[in-house]
Amino acid sequence: MRGGRILFLIFILFYSFRVSATNRVSTGTGNWATAATWSPVGVPVAGDNITILTGHTITMNSNPGACANLTINGTATWATAGRITNVSGNLTMNNGGIITGTATGILNVAGTFSVPSAASVTIGRGTLTVTGTTTIDGTLDFNSITGVKTLGNITIDAGGSLSSSLNSAITITGSFTNNGTFTSGTGIYTFSGAGKSFNGSNGITFAGAVTMTGSYTNSNTVNFTVTGNLTGAGSLTQGANSTLQIGGTSTITTLTATANPNLVTYNGAAAQTIKGTTYNNLTITSGNTATAGATFICNGNLNITSGTFASGAFTITVSGATSISGGTLSTSNAAGIFNLQSL
């Protein structure tokens, strides 16, 4: 019995030693899988906390490479396509941090991603997946269209900045909160989360198209703008006091805009199709013609400030006041009908 206990204690001590985290820092430019690249010497393993120091470029040549937490003050680069690095904990990019590659590598982060205040970092060529929350207090720029970028919840704090200078396509599986500066670029943003939301003290503007494959609520009371098309098989629900501006055509499967009050504005420079749904307040500020894509109801007020609002072959019912301060109403099809309570 005593011998069994001793063996058990030896096993526990050995196991604890094996799984204990080692804090490794880069010693210079080199390969991830080279022991001498790190201090203390050794190739990183899943339990290690890894820091790439300023001025060092580490080529991510393991497949897969692994660590617990990864801090990038220098550069992580991929020279061989498809090489994977798995981070079971968190990713932190400090000032000057870069993720890039001459080939498209893969970085998977199971935890959070942080850009601290005063840090300016870039993410270039590569596939990045972050499961946890991305918090931006510094400046983060996506500067390559190569590789898939997928993030969970995103929070841009006051003083923080998120941009996509080369118009990357980005998928977001969580909520999006903007209290800082957001410059989207014209790449397509796909929102795939379930029961998520748009929030923040500053407006959220997408210069290109937005695809909704999940379910989202717009709780941003400043402004939520989609300059391109609003598409996808998912849903977008307008919260009370929220605003939504659509510059392209809205073909999203479900647009719920009945909250009282909320405002949807179609303001495209080119011809637009207006989503057939039930609106609260609706404004047409068109540089061309906005045509109904289906029968719809406006429970609040309809305002036309410029362009032409055309009925198509559908019935448009407005329960509140209709105001035409510029532009025109047009029954552009013999079957089109405008039911207006006051004009």
Side-chain angles (χ1 to χ4, degrees), residues 75-94:
T75 300
T77 186
W78 278 260
T80 304
R83 297 274 178 167
I84 299 171
T85 301
N86 294 318
V87 179
S88 61
N90 304 323
L91 169 65
T92 301
M93 295 183 71
N94 290 315

Side-chain angles (χ1 to χ4, degrees), residues 11-79:
F11 171 79
I12 292 297
L13 289 171
F14 177 77
Y15 181 79
S16 298
F17 174 78
R18 293 285 292 177
V19 300
S20 62
T22 299
N23 297 321
R24 300 186 192 277
V25 299
S26 59
T27 58
T29 293
N31 292 328
W32 178 279
T34 299
T37 300
W38 307 102
S39 176
V41 173
V43 176
V45 295
D48 292 349
N49 299 315
I50 301 300
T51 300
I52 300 173
L53 294 180
T54 301
H56 297 171
T57 298
I58 303 301
T59 300
M60 315 296 276
N61 65 331
S62 288
N63 197 34
C67 65
N69 298 301
L70 175 61
T71 299
I72 301 176
N73 304 333
T75 300
T77 186
W78 278 260

